Amino acid sequence: MNKKAGITKINIACSVLLQLTVIAGGIVIPRIILTLFGSEVNGLVSSVNQFLNYIQLVEGGLGGVVMAALYKPLHDKDMKSVSEIYCHSAHFFRQIGFIYIAYLVILAIVYPLLVNTGFGYFYSVALIVVLGVNLAVQYFLSVSYRLLLNADRKVYVVTLIQSVINILNVASAVFCFYFFKDLLFIKIISALIFLIQPVVFSVYVKKHYPIENNLPLKKGVLSQRWVAFGNNFAYFVHRNTDIVVLTVFSTLSTVSVYSVYMMVVIALRGVIEAVSTAFVPSFGKALAGGDREELAKTFDIYEFVVQISSYVLFSCCLILIVPFVMIYTMGINDADYYQPVFAVLIVIAEFICGIREPFIRAASAAAMFKKVAPHAFIEAALNIMISLILIGKYGIAGVAVGTIVAMVYRMIAQMVLVGKGILHRSMAKSALRTVVLVIVLLGTYFLFGWFGPNGIESIGAWIVYAVITFVIQCIVAAMLGMILYRNAMTSCFKKREK
């Protein structure tokens, strides 16, 4: 096996491991909050975290620019250029950090005045500050290190460190559940645990990379940073439209229902993004190498792996999510968690998100930020307008429709951009594959609905049903792979180092 393929597989394995720890945390911690404090408080935490997730748009925006800029100097082993890019990224993140702190302070003061949190004002302020500090620790103190390691195809280093931190975080939450039944205390312990992460990254990078930290900042090193920031701001608005609209026009109990379903699909989305992240450095290296044939082959394999993985995960999710949520929320009767229509719509939306992932990441790796910008803002605008129009009549399902329409538009736009600007070929086959995958996904869902069990009321029965569903969908996925991705599938399993 070639070194390149071997590293990619290790990166994928470690990325999936990370997502398993994220899924564990995403299941255990909300359940603890639901059990101890109820749906209103779970909805509060979900709502506040969505408002605070502004920090993620910063990494996603500048992160794409930084990684795109790093591929070539890392490929050429030009450490001076690597140092210049690193210094610029660290400087920019510090600037954004100050903006984020100001935003956090305003949010902490204003949010408890506008939303009935169920806690006293000052307790709510403290909770929001702690949640914000927790996110800031994860991002601003370690993001430059992580971007450097990811661009250098050392995704496995990043994900293993994060996996350990996540395991510690879940363990601490379980400990607090039994001994310290206070939400603020649980979140403070979590923030302290995540402080370990930037320290470990710093030690590793300083040991393995001769980075010059005090180089003067040159103009043009990260010239597209604000364009990328704007793109990701639009993406952030699109991603957080649903929960913001629900917070303003609905109740925190509805937000809790939304967040429980999203807990499942976000976990699966994370797995797809993890697989995608593991592929991106290899695609970036192919871009830097300038070999168009190698680039096309790499993208075809990338598209095959991500899209077939998306089919398997989200086809299973579509079938299993409602019975899982009903078992997960058993005994919690302060909100209606039975929402099959919303479940179908939001899973389809996230499946489309998985399908389009290679096209989003490819455009970012090729630094096509200016060309992507208009489509990113149109996507956000579509989601907002449709969600606002439909929420009054259709409630939680209405915001899901807005998400689907926006994602379909962006997927089509990205296919066209990547086809014309990177691969220089028609994307008709990719579009046809997408249509077939969606049809098969819905077809298997209805078949399972007709022939599957009428009710699943225990976790044991659900696990058995999940295993059967997973096996069947893997068989279907293998057939789809042979029909729709034959060449890429063959290359994926036969590729060797030159």
Side-chain angles (χ1 to χ4, degrees), residues 266-471:
I266 287 174
L268 298 183
R269 183 208 308 165
V271 174
I272 299 302
E273 289 177 350
V275 174
S276 181
T277 299
F279 261 101
V280 169
S282 295
F283 182 76
K285 187 174 182 181
L287 272 171
D291 186 334
R292 184 174 293 185
E293 184 179 349
E294 177 66 17
L295 181 65
K297 287 181 179 179
T298 301
F299 183 82
D300 288 342
I301 294 172
Y302 183 16
E303 184 181 20
F304 158 66
V305 172
V306 171
Q307 293 187 350
I308 287 297
S309 299
S310 296
Y311 173 81
V312 172
L313 292 180
F314 287 108
S315 62
C316 292
C317 181
L318 194 59
I319 296 162
L320 298 166
I321 187 170
V322 173
F324 171 81
V325 169
M326 299 313 297
I327 294 169
Y328 183 78
T329 59
M330 192 175 294
I332 299 169
N333 302 312
D334 54 359
D336 183 11
Y337 286 91
Y338 183 70
Q339 300 287 341
V341 175
F342 169 70
V344 171
L345 292 173
I346 203 63
V347 171
I348 291 173
E350 293 304 324
F351 175 59
I352 293 170
C353 186
I355 290 293
R356 74 182 194 178
E357 178 72 8
F359 304 98
I360 297 285
R361 297 295 186 104
S364 177
M368 299 175 66
F369 302 106
K370 290 184 179 179
K371 293 182 179 180
V372 165
H375 305 295
F377 282 97
I378 291 172
E379 177 186 35
L382 282 172
N383 196 2
I384 293 171
M385 289 188 296
I386 295 172
S387 295
L388 289 175
I389 291 169
L390 297 182
I391 188 173
K393 186 174 182 179
Y394 299 105
I396 196 171
V399 298
V401 172
T403 303
I404 289 175
V405 173
M407 285 186 171
V408 169
Y409 166 79
R410 181 71 182 278
M411 177 180 66
I412 295 170
Q414 291 291 144
M415 281 185 178
V416 173
L417 284 175
V418 170
K420 290 183 177 180
I422 300 176
L423 301 177
H424 307 289
R425 71 187 189 194
S426 170
M427 301 307 289
K429 286 186 178 180
S430 292
L432 178 62
R433 288 170 187 152
T434 300
V435 173
V436 172
L437 287 174
V438 172
I439 291 173
V440 175
L441 180 92
L442 291 173
T444 56
Y445 168 71
F446 287 117
L447 285 173
F448 271 84
W450 287 326
F451 298 108
N454 293 325
I456 300 173
E457 298 181 353
S458 69
I459 190 63
W462 184 89
I463 291 173
V464 171
Y465 189 47
V467 171
I468 294 171
T469 302
F470 180 75
V471 171

Side-chain angles (χ1 to χ4, degrees), residues 155-169:
V155 177
Y156 61 92
V157 174
V158 174
T159 51
L160 286 175
I161 293 170
Q162 291 178 321
S163 296
V164 173
I165 297 299
N166 286 342
I167 292 169
L168 291 174
N169 186 45

Side-chain angles (χ1 to χ4, degrees), residues 7 62 109 135 173 213 358 383 405-406 494:
I7 290 175
L62 181 59
I109 294 171
L135 283 171
N213 291 299
N383 196 2
V405 173
K494 290 186 177 179

